[in-house]
Amino acid sequence: MMGAVLLSEFATEIVVPVCAVIGIAFSLVQWLLVSRVKLNPERHASGNSNKNGYSDYLIEEEEGLNDPSVVTKCADIQSAISEGATSFLFTEYQYVGIFMVAFAILIFLFLGSVEGFSSKSQPCTYDKEKTCKPALATAIFSTISFLLGAITSVLSGFLGMKIATYANARTTLEARKGVGKAFIVAFRSGAVMGFLLAANGLLVLFVAINLFKLYYGDDWEGLFEAITGYGLGGSSMALFGRVGGGIYTKAADVGADLVGKVERNIPEDDPRNPAVIADNVGDNVGDIAGMGSDLFGSYAESSCAALVVASISSFGINHEFTAMLYPLLISSVGILVCLITTLFATDFFEIKAVKEIEPALKKQLIISTVLMTVGIAIVTWVGVPSSFTIYNFGDQKVVKNCYAPNFLRLGKVRTFNSSNSDRQLFLCVGVGLWAGLIIGFVTEYYTSNAYSPVQDVADSCRTGAATNVIFGLALGYKSVIIPIFAIAISIFVSFSFAAMYGIAVAALGMLSTIATGLAIDAYGPISDNAGGIAEMAGMSHHIRERTDALDAAGNTTAAIGKGFAIGSAALVSLALFGAFVSRAAISTVDVLTPKVFIGLIVGAMLPYWFSAMTMKSVGSAALKMVEEVRRQFNMIPGLMEGRAKPDYATCVKISTDASIKEMIPPGALVMLTPLIVGTFFGVETLAGVLAGALVSGVQIAISASNTGGAWDNAKKYIEAGASEHARTLGPKGSDPHKAAVIGDTVGDPLKDTSGPSLNILIKLMAVESLVFAPFFATHGGLLFKIF
């Protein structure tokens, strides 16, 4: 008999949805606070002098700033960006919707054919003496959960984009009061997205589990196998969002920078630049919508991986509902912890100077991690029984616990038989949580211009773009070392304590503060847009300096967010890999067998193939953009003098068309590889492919993201001219600055298209293999059967 838990099943049924609803309510409160900044110019004329009125600070600003036309311009620019982003996402979702329906049919056909579409009950996979629901039920419910995950993912991205485009001009207007006010608007808007996404993801998953339980009853093995479709749906949409959005934003960015800054010597986001609206739209569809879907996918998959492993362990066998939902309880507490953490940035402390921005964002990470450590301890204490078994693939193991002198031989089951067990599970989640913080700080060290690595890259611009590129690449490769050790240690610790379940909850630990992570991450593109709007509306250079300071901190936090996403993807992928190996009934994955080794070497190649596709897509789209921008500068009379308006719509169309067309081949590569390998070469080769893609993908993703982030901030370092060293390299338009712009342009597709998309590649292939595992185990390996 296993130990009882302190938290009853009834209490669990209340705690999880209540925490999700609190998260949604908090995000709505933040949105209301942001909406109090008005975008109509009549506001200050009313004599209102409250915190959100203009009259209390306009007196101290230079003359001409209380000009209503500035507010009107900001509103016009904001609506242009919002319309561009919305129309692009609608176009993208039409194509993705067709794919979604086609893939849902594929899931049903593949899984239904496992037992020849029979509706008879079958012996359970892990316990042949029991009967489980038919394979047809798994096919139907997996398809439903796939569609649920896909719709939630799309919604997460779309809502994020809407909030970001709502907040960008408001951040610009608040920057007139000072950098602190602008920071709060940008951060609150990021928090709206973070909490909505975390709470929606949790609530939909919780409701799906409870609805599926009505049919499945005591067959928890089948229930949680069907739930894995939720992770697959989330990640497949994220892939198209990340790749499509990434190609869009970087085609516009590269085109705008190369012609505007390097050739024509005009400032960034100058309204004369025809690609400027497309560039600002790109920040929202790539960095916001794509990233939102991506992190939702990570969250959904890590939850599904933990639930699948738990369902075939004592939690599932003994029907311990509270312990079963331990992953959801962690996420619930995470929402409450992030709520308290957010108040530290928006209410408890006020930012008064530019130099306080980055430390405030870093404190968010530290506070959330420290509070979450306490939260995990409480959840583990009340939600996990004092002893339990964890399913562990492989040979029979003798497991000895610290306080359990009796040897327990349970074949493929690892037993935790003491009060020490919950402590071990706490350490699994904790090690993931703290590994995330370490990865975040290492990323910050290598990408922030406050530290020597980026300053060295900036210094290398003295001798031109070539040395800048060399230094930047070296920095990216070097930045991989510590994150990989952090991931390796967390894998070792969590696997030692709780086998594959340990790794799944370690990934959840890393993602438990997702609401804060997303708030910090979304803050960057919002600040970037705010700077663009300030420049286009012709606001004073003081305002632009403030928004640039917000943006530079945002660049670093965006890199930190990518670090989190990649680190969690590695752990999630490994946990899914373990669940796949168990489900496909592979006893061991032997690297020395040719079947596995060919998979390993091909899998390691896939991230390179995928990166080549995405980089080339950005390159060819940027080529068209550069030609169009040059054409407009040459053909439209008075454009450079500011007498004529550029044709923004053509540039937006170039980015939209290129990204829709170019996102399909990389997406097809990722989605079809597991299906082809599993069907024709079998589960052992597929296991090799997954392992190879994981090992090489993580390295490339970290180095690509950090290289791009470092080049971007090296350019910002020279532009800001905040230190004596930076002033010797500047000003804007100098040769070192032009070299830095070229480095930044090379890094753009690395940090915003290839790098972030790779973490989806490794997760998506693993979760897809897990969902189709019953089919591959039954009908896979056709080529080896023929020969």
Side-chain angles (χ1 to χ4, degrees):
M1 178 63 198
M2 298 295 156
V5 293
L6 294 173
L7 195 69
S8 69
E9 184 175 326
F10 177 70
T12 307
E13 291 274 18
I14 291 171
V15 167
V16 176
V18 163
C19 288
V21 169
I22 288 171
I24 292 168
F26 183 72
S27 68
L28 293 175
V29 169
Q30 297 298 312
W31 178 77
L32 282 171
L33 291 168
V34 171
S35 67
R36 284 163 63 182
V37 180
K38 298 298 176 194
L39 268 186
N40 48 359
E42 302 83 47
R43 176 78 171 163
H44 70 278
S46 66
N48 190 345
S49 60
N50 69 2
K51 270 190 176 178
N52 295 295
Y54 295 160
S55 51
D56 57 347
Y57 60 85
L58 281 178
I59 308 149
E60 62 198 71
E61 289 287 6
E62 58 266 41
E63 278 185 51
L65 207 71
N66 57 354
D67 178 7
S69 67
V70 170
V71 186
T72 311
K73 268 187 200 167
C74 285
D76 291 346
I77 296 161
Q78 183 215 30
S79 68
I81 293 169
S82 182
E83 279 166 28
T86 308
S87 72
F88 167 72
L89 285 182
F90 272 127
T91 311
E92 182 183 70
Y93 293 155
Q94 280 167 9
Y95 284 86
V96 168
I98 297 164
F99 156 81
M100 196 161 82
V101 173
F103 204 76
I105 294 166
L106 205 63
I107 292 172
F108 175 72
L109 294 175
F110 270 60
L111 295 182
S113 68
V114 171
E115 297 286 330
F117 295 97
S118 159
S119 56
K120 289 181 188 153
S121 292
Q122 55 181 15
C124 296
T125 311
Y126 301 98
D127 186 354
K128 300 294 180 192
E129 290 169 16
K130 290 184 181 174
T131 52
C132 284
K133 298 291 181 189
L136 190 63
T138 306
I140 293 166
F141 283 99
S142 293
T143 308
I144 293 168
S145 58
F146 167 77
L147 292 170
L148 267 180
I151 291 162
T152 312
S153 182
V154 162
L155 204 62
S156 300
F158 186 75
L159 287 174
M161 180 281 296
K162 275 292 180 197
I163 291 150
T165 51
Y166 182 81
N168 50 18
R170 287 170 166 79
T171 306
T172 310
L173 293 173
E174 286 293 274
R176 306 190 303 179
K177 296 182 184 180
V179 76
K181 302 283 186 194
F183 170 82
I184 285 177
V185 170
F187 191 82
R188 279 197 204 282
S189 313
V192 176
M193 178 186 176
F195 283 92
L196 264 185
L197 189 142
N200 278 343
L202 177 65
L203 196 59
V204 174
L205 182 56
F206 177 77
V207 170
I209 290 169
N210 277 293
L211 290 177
F212 284 19
K213 211 163 71 154
L214 297 176
Y215 169 77
Y216 275 98
D218 285 345
D219 176 15
W220 284 17
E221 184 190 299
L223 161 63
F224 290 102
E225 194 174 298
I227 283 288
T228 52
Y230 185 69
L232 176 60
S235 250
S236 51
M237 295 304 106
L239 176 72
F240 291 106
R242 257 302 191 199
V243 173
I247 293 167
Y248 186 107
T249 178
K250 291 305 111 182
D253 200 357
V254 170
D257 281 0
L258 281 181
V259 183
K261 280 155 80 171
V262 178
E263 292 179 12
R264 294 282 171 166
N265 215 3
I266 59 175
E268 190 165 355
D269 297 315
D270 191 295
R272 292 171 291 179
N273 195 326
V276 71
I277 292 285
D279 185 6
N280 281 289
V281 168
D283 290 336
N284 294 294
V285 296
D287 295 349
I288 297 270
M291 176 200 53
S293 293
D294 178 4
L295 280 174
F296 165 74
S298 280
Y299 163 74
E301 282 162 339
S302 55
S303 301
C304 291
L307 291 167
V308 166
V309 178
S311 70
I312 51 176
S313 304
S314 67
F315 298 162
I317 296 160
N318 300 330
H319 298 102
E320 296 168 351
F321 190 70
T322 299
M324 192 67 226
L325 290 195
Y326 177 66
L328 274 71
L329 288 169
I330 291 174
S331 305
S332 306
V333 171
I335 289 173
L336 303 182
V337 162
C338 291
L339 192 152
I340 297 163
T341 309
T342 303
L343 297 177
F344 277 92
T346 56
D347 295 81
F348 299 159
F349 299 105
E350 195 181 342
I351 287 178
K352 293 187 172 69
V354 165
K355 64 177 185 294
E356 293 172 17
I357 299 168
E358 217 165 290
L361 293 168
K362 274 162 67 178
K363 275 180 199 151
Q364 285 287 295
L365 290 175
I366 298 166
I367 294 165
S368 62
T369 304
V370 171
L371 292 177
M372 193 62 210
T373 309
V374 179
I376 294 164
I378 295 166
V379 168
T380 312
W381 178 53
V382 300
V384 176
S386 56
S387 75
F388 56 92
T389 62
I390 288 293
Y391 188 93
N392 181 31
F393 64 86
D395 301 325
Q396 287 201 325
K397 282 191 177 181
V398 178
V399 180
K400 186 182 175 187
N401 261 342
C402 304
Y403 304 141
N406 301 328
F407 287 87
L408 294 146
R409 188 179 292 275
L410 280 152
K412 296 182 181 179
V413 173
R414 174 168 295 192
T415 303
F416 297 82
N417 192 18
S418 70
S419 59
N420 195 41
S421 60
D422 50 8
R423 193 180 311 164
Q424 289 181 338
L425 210 51
F426 161 70
L427 286 172
C428 293
V429 187
V431 78
L433 176 69
W434 284 89
L437 187 70
I438 290 165
I439 292 170
F441 277 152
V442 170
T443 308
E444 193 234 2
Y445 174 72
Y446 280 106
T447 56
S448 167
N449 54 30
Y451 304 106
S452 60
V454 170
Q455 291 173 9
D456 290 346
V457 172
D459 194 61
S460 70
C461 295
R462 291 176 192 279
T463 47
T467 42
N468 180 26
V469 169
I470 293 165
F471 268 71
L473 286 172
L475 176 146
Y477 298 147
K478 196 176 173 189
S479 71
V480 172
I481 301 165
I482 298 172
I484 291 298
F485 276 119
I487 292 168
I489 291 165
S490 42
I491 288 169
F492 181 78
V493 170
S494 50
F495 190 86
S496 303
F497 283 145
M500 275 299 163
Y501 187 68
I503 292 171
V505 291
L508 260 177
M510 204 177 271
L511 290 164
S512 58
T513 54
I514 186 171
T516 294
L518 263 170
I520 290 172
D521 218 341
Y523 151 89
I526 292 168
S527 304
D528 193 355
N529 258 209
I533 291 170
E535 185 73 51
M536 283 185 271
M539 294 168 91
S540 76
H541 67 279
H542 292 299
I543 309 293
R544 184 71 217 224
E545 277 169 17
R546 287 169 190 165
T547 55
D548 275 354
L550 293 170
D551 183 24
N555 265 346
T556 304
T557 55
I560 292 172
K562 287 176 189 125
F564 265 99
I566 296 160
S568 62
L571 293 176
V572 169
S573 180
L574 188 57
L576 291 164
F577 176 72
F580 162 71
V581 170
S582 302
R583 184 64 189 83
I586 306 170
S587 55
T588 51
V589 179
D590 185 357
V591 181
L592 295 176
T593 55
K595 271 186 190 178
V596 175
F597 194 81
I598 57 166
L600 201 63
I601 202 158
V602 169
M605 171 275 294
L606 286 174
Y608 289 92
W609 188 1
F610 179 83
S611 297
M613 283 173 143
T614 50
M615 296 280 285
K616 195 160 183 292
S617 299
V618 171
S620 56
L623 203 66
K624 288 179 194 153
M625 188 67 77
V626 167
E627 284 167 358
E628 173 58 23
V629 175
R630 277 181 185 154
R631 185 194 69 76
Q632 290 200 29
F633 273 124
N634 293 331
M635 305 297 286
I636 300 176
L639 181 57
M640 269 303 282
E641 293 75 31
R643 292 196 309 271
K645 277 186 87 172
D647 176 11
Y648 297 127
T650 306
C651 291
V652 169
K653 189 175 186 312
I654 288 171
S655 263
T656 302
D657 293 350
S659 55
I660 297 295
K661 188 175 105 218
E662 302 281 357
M663 76 179 180
I664 295 163
L669 173 72
V670 178
M671 298 300 288
L672 296 177
T673 299
L675 292 179
I676 293 166
V677 174
T679 307
F680 293 106
F681 298 95
V683 283
E684 283 97 343
T685 309
L686 182 53
V689 167
L690 296 179
L694 166 62
V695 168
S696 82
V698 172
Q699 331 280 338
I700 306 170
I702 295 173
S703 66
S705 294
N706 291 350
T707 293
W711 276 326
D712 194 347
N713 272 342
K715 176 201 73 177
K716 289 242 174 10
Y717 175 73
I718 294 172
E719 287 175 353
S723 68
E724 193 58 48
H725 174 241
R727 283 192 285 276
T728 60
L729 299 166
K732 287 183 184 180
S734 66
D735 285 342
H737 177 248
K738 283 184 177 171
V741 170
I742 290 169
D744 174 35
T745 310
V746 173
D748 273 338
L750 284 172
K751 77 172 166 48
D752 289 323
T753 312
S754 297
S757 306
L758 279 171
N759 64 58
I760 304 176
L761 172 135
I762 57 179
K763 291 180 309 192
L764 185 52
M765 282 177 31
V767 74
E768 190 182 332
S769 303
L770 173 59
V771 169
F772 286 101
F775 175 81
F776 298 149
T778 314
H779 302 301
L782 293 178
L783 284 181
F784 294 130
K785 284 175 184 169
I786 294 165
F787 297 115

